[in-house]
Structure formats: structure tokens, C-alpha cells
Amino acid sequence: GAVVSQHPSRVICKSGTSVKIECRSLDFQATTMFWYRQFPKKSLMLMATSNEGSKATYEQGVEKDKFLINHASLTLSTLTVTSAHPEDSSFYICSARDSWGGSGTDTQYFGPGTRLTVL
Amino acid sequence: RKEVEQDPGPFNVPEGATVAFNCTYSNSASQSFFWYRQDCRKEPKLLMSVYSSGNEDGRFTAQLNRASQYISLLIRDSKLSDSATYLCVVNSQAGTALIFGKGTTLSVSS
């Protein structure tokens, strides 16, 4: 199946620093990528929808100035957590939608996730 | 009402048992339905799509009842390796984000 990578897989940083997470579709083009966040023992919650070449669409309650999303190419979206605080510690997962339909259904592929710990 | 609801469990079963998970969704316009599996501290992985006619993949059987907005997953002959969290996932429209339930935790013991 299609592969989506995320980098870094794990990051530990001090409060107040900014962290950039990359999401790449390795063998397909993705006009749309999604960013999710998962707190311990909770479900994945959609943060934003990232569209190549346009502004991201953020879910209610997600601060767009704090979580900066850039989708500059068909294979790369980045999420930057600005001025991170301990409450931002979470598991961040991206998914990429295969623009060409894959098997004919709306197929989305998940990255392996980035575990962020803010001290 | 939450968009996708699941019994969180945990379900603790012995090897070889049959176990069933249920899920309900609130958006009657939902178009696509899936079961994902998530292992501890890992990303979700697609287990199977769910079709209106019901579908089976080895020991796994999924059912969809659109009238009741209800989805089920049946696992027969449980294996130790089936221990994981099973996520009920719904997509309201092609191209939009997936909506996840909280997941049901399964623990299979020997």
C-alpha cells in the first residue's frame, strides 16, 4: 500500500519553543492531508485539513496561529506547533488522501505519528 | 451526541473466543465506513472497509445497518495478536477527514 512518513517520530522540547512536524506521501500525490491529535486514552481528533496550495481549514477550537500548517507541494505538509506548552504534549498523526482514488474508494493513509513531549 | 460512539471496553477474552464490537454513528448522510486497528503508541491501520451487504475477511466480519446507523465487527477464533484497540471510523463525504470513535480495547489472553 501507499506509504506516508512523518518526521520526527519523537520530540522532546522545552516550553516556549516551536516544533515542526513533516508529513510526506512517498509514492503518491496528495492534494489533501489531514492532521490529527490523540491524547492518551482518547480518540483521534481532527485538527485541520491541509490543501495543497491553499490555506488550511481548522476545526473549531484549534488555534490557527498556534498550529501553523503549510502544504507547499503535493507530497509534503508541515505542522508547526508554535510556542509549545506542556498541554500540547500529544501524539500528532497525519493522513494523506490519494488524489487519484487508489482502489476506487476514498483511501487515506496514515503516517506513523509524532510523539511530542513539552517539558 | 458524539458523531461516532463505541463501547470502550475493555473486552478481555480467552484465545479462541468470538467477540463482537458495536458502533453507532449520528450522521445519516455518512458514506463510507471502516474498522481500523490501533496498537499501543502506533498509528491506526485499516482493518477493513464496511459495506452495506456485509463483508468478511478471514476471521473478521463487518456489518452495516444504515437504517439503524449501526456498524459491527465480529472476530472469530481470537488470537493473542488480535489484542489492540479497534476504531470505528466514518467518512461523511469523499475527500473529507475521517471521523473516529474512541475505540474499543480488546485483550486476548492464553
Side-chain angles (χ1 to χ4, degrees):
Chain A
V3 177
V4 175
S5 70
Q6 269 184 253
H7 177 79
S9 58
R10 169 173 285 191
V11 60
I12 301 173
C13 68
K14 292 182 180 179
S15 185
T17 58
S18 294
V19 176
K20 179 188 279 189
I21 303 170
E22 293 185 349
C23 176
R24 293 181 186 272
S25 56
L26 298 184
D27 53 1
F28 66 98
Q29 293 181 326
T31 54
T32 305
M33 292 184 174
F34 304 97
W35 286 97
Y36 296 85
R37 178 169 56 180
Q38 186 177 34
F39 292 105
K41 299 188 187 300
K42 301 290 185 183
S43 62
L44 275 78
M45 296 300 295
L46 179 67
M47 297 177 67
T49 300
S50 170
N51 296 298
E52 186 267 336
S54 64
K55 290 183 179 180
T57 303
Y58 290 81
E59 295 300 297
Q60 191 173 14
V62 178
E63 299 175 55
K64 62 179 182 181
D65 294 328
K66 180 169 181 63
F67 298 98
L68 302 179
I69 291 173
N70 183 281
H71 193 157
S73 78
L74 286 171
T75 59
L76 173 65
S77 176
T78 61
L79 168 68
T80 300
V81 183
T82 62
S83 187
H85 290 282
E87 58 265 29
D88 298 322
S89 298
S90 187
F91 190 44
Y92 292 84
I93 307 175
C94 72
S95 74
R97 175 172 171 260
D98 188 339
S99 302
W100 303 109
S103 61
T105 60
D106 187 38
T107 306
Q108 296 186 25
Y109 301 93
F110 283 86
T114 296
R115 194 160 299 279
L116 170 64
T117 302
V118 184
L119 303 176
Chain B
R1 182 183 172 187
K2 293 179 182 173
E3 292 193 69
V4 180
E5 295 206 56
Q6 293 181 250
D7 180 347
F11 284 60
N12 298 304
V13 302
E15 276 186 289
T18 295
V19 61
F21 302 140
N22 303 317
C23 166
T24 57
Y25 60 95
S26 61
N27 185 353
S28 60
S30 298
Q31 297 187 0
S32 305
F33 309 89
F34 312 90
W35 283 101
Y36 275 73
R37 170 191 170 132
Q38 186 174 26
D39 292 285
C40 188
R41 304 174 77 84
K42 299 285 187 182
E43 79 276 21
K45 294 193 175 173
L46 179 64
L47 179 66
M48 58 196 304
S49 300
V50 187
Y51 304 114
S52 297
S53 55
N55 49 299
E56 187 175 307
D57 182 1
R59 298 181 293 110
F60 299 86
T61 302
Q63 298 276 359
L64 168 64
N65 184 322
R66 283 187 184 270
S68 302
Q69 296 177 206
Y70 171 91
I71 307 163
S72 66
L73 176 68
L74 183 76
I75 304 177
R76 291 182 300 278
D77 189 24
S78 299
K79 311 290 184 191
L80 293 175
S81 57
D82 293 334
S83 298
T85 297
Y86 291 83
L87 304 168
C88 179
V89 183
V90 171
N91 191 217
S92 61
Q93 183 180 342
T96 62
L98 301 175
I99 301 168
F100 287 81
K102 278 192 174 180
T104 299
T105 301
L106 172 66
S107 177
V108 182
S109 56
S110 58

